[in-house]
Amino acid sequence: MAPITSREQQQIDQANASGRTPVVFVHGLWLLASSWDGWTALFEEAGYAAVAPGWPGDPESVDEAKANPDLFARQTIAGTADHYAEVIGKLTKKPAVIGHSFGGMLAQIVAGRGLSAATVSISPAPYRGILPLPFSALKVASVALRNPANRKRGVGLTPAEFRYGFGNAVSEDESKQLYDAYSVPGPGSTLFQAATANLNPGTEAKVDTKNPQRGPLLIVSGEKDHTVPWAIANASFKKQHRNEGVTEITSVAGRGHSLTIDSGWREVADTARQFIKRFT
């Protein structure tokens, strides 16, 4: 298991010292923890203690990540989920958890382990049991899946691929700005794990949706999301809805996969904050 970084330990210590309810933010593929900076400031202002760990081995900056794509090559779903679980285990209060994209799947994995007081899963990547495969989602994933060698590589997006997968619901100029500011390579291995989840009973891309300790869960979908269209988000909701805990889903009109980082991020953040406020 990757060690907790000094930055992560500092956030843990600050959260514990504050006595506030922690909120753990889980970033997704092709982004870093810094993509949550606006959110962490907003939640701190609202009285929470924000903790935004990276995936194991994440570089410190976008520039470093773009210069060294294979720093991501060994990241896996299980290893990353275990890392977030370790961070949560060092908090003195049970946190709320917010995740986006692959981070949305990871947030559900963590919740399925009974580690979350309330969970918001935004545009969650598909896991075992999620059957819809819309064309747009396959097109985005094909960036890595088209070459088997990418299973052991860090795979980045071109500006055009980012525009289709993330920035399709914002202007071309904003998509380019988001690409420059946030887009980094991601581990091809995780895309292969998710793509084969329904063929592999031992897959790491699986969620315990039945655990009665899962806690309240909100799934958020962007109406125009190409990477995780409504069909995938709704299939996740249908699986989770069988849990005895509160399970809700909402769609944000006119928004794509960049909904957590683009100029409209605050609307999504407020939706998440209001849900968490109800249960923490």
Side-chain angles (χ1 to χ4, degrees):
M1 185 180 298
I4 289 175
T5 68
S6 58
R7 181 186 66 82
E8 291 166 350
Q9 187 63 55
Q10 182 180 30
Q11 292 182 359
I12 292 166
D13 292 342
Q14 289 174 344
N16 290 340
S18 74
R20 298 175 170 186
T21 298
V23 180
V24 174
F25 294 88
V26 190
H27 74 79
L29 209 64
W30 296 308
L31 298 173
L32 294 176
S34 57
S35 63
W36 291 114
D37 284 354
W39 289 64
T40 57
L42 181 70
F43 274 78
E44 288 278 350
E45 291 169 6
Y48 297 94
V51 181
W55 289 25
D58 270 359
E60 286 296 319
S61 69
V62 170
D63 287 344
E64 183 184 355
K66 288 180 176 177
N68 301 280
D70 286 338
L71 289 174
F72 300 90
R74 295 186 178 181
Q75 292 174 331
T76 63
I77 292 171
T80 304
D82 289 346
H83 182 68
Y84 280 92
E86 184 182 13
V87 169
I88 290 171
K90 291 184 176 295
L91 294 168
T92 53
K93 285 190 174 182
K94 197 173 190 178
V97 179
I98 300 175
H100 169 246
S101 194
F102 259 86
M105 177 213 287
L106 289 163
Q108 291 189 44
I109 291 174
V110 166
R113 296 182 185 184
L115 301 177
S116 176
T119 305
V120 180
S121 178
I122 304 167
S123 301
Y127 47 86
R128 184 170 174 81
I130 304 300
L131 300 180
L133 289 171
F135 170 78
S136 66
L138 289 171
K139 181 176 178 178
V140 175
S142 72
V143 170
L145 300 179
R146 62 193 174 205
N147 184 351
N150 286 336
R151 188 185 295 269
K152 297 182 180 181
R153 293 173 177 166
V155 182
L157 301 174
T158 66
E161 289 165 342
F162 182 87
R163 171 74 166 152
Y164 183 83
F166 278 77
N168 61 294
V170 299
S171 70
E172 188 170 351
D173 284 346
E174 183 174 0
S175 181
K176 181 62 166 59
Q177 291 169 4
L178 295 173
Y179 177 82
D180 291 341
Y182 296 111
S183 181
V184 298
S189 60
T190 58
L191 280 166
F192 279 90
Q193 287 178 304
T196 59
N198 288 320
L199 303 174
N200 176 14
T203 182
E204 296 178 4
K206 58 185 176 184
V207 174
D208 182 356
T209 59
K210 298 179 181 179
N211 185 354
Q213 303 303 314
R214 186 210 68 188
L217 170 68
L218 172 66
I219 295 174
V220 180
S221 176
E223 178 196 13
K224 297 184 177 181
D225 195 324
H226 281 166
T227 301
V228 184
W230 170 261
I232 293 176
N234 193 45
S236 185
F237 167 74
K238 287 179 178 178
K239 283 190 68 66
Q240 290 281 11
H241 190 56
R242 301 167 189 164
N243 190 285
E244 63 186 51
V246 172
T247 309
E248 299 177 4
I249 188 169
T250 188
S251 177
V252 188
R255 306 300 294 283
H257 202 61
S258 67
L259 75 173
T260 58
I261 56 173
D262 62 33
S263 55
W265 68 267
R266 189 176 291 269
E267 175 189 5
V268 185
D270 284 339
T271 297
R273 183 174 56 82
Q274 289 163 12
F275 181 81
I276 288 170
K277 185 179 179 180
R278 288 164 53 193
F279 301 103
T280 60

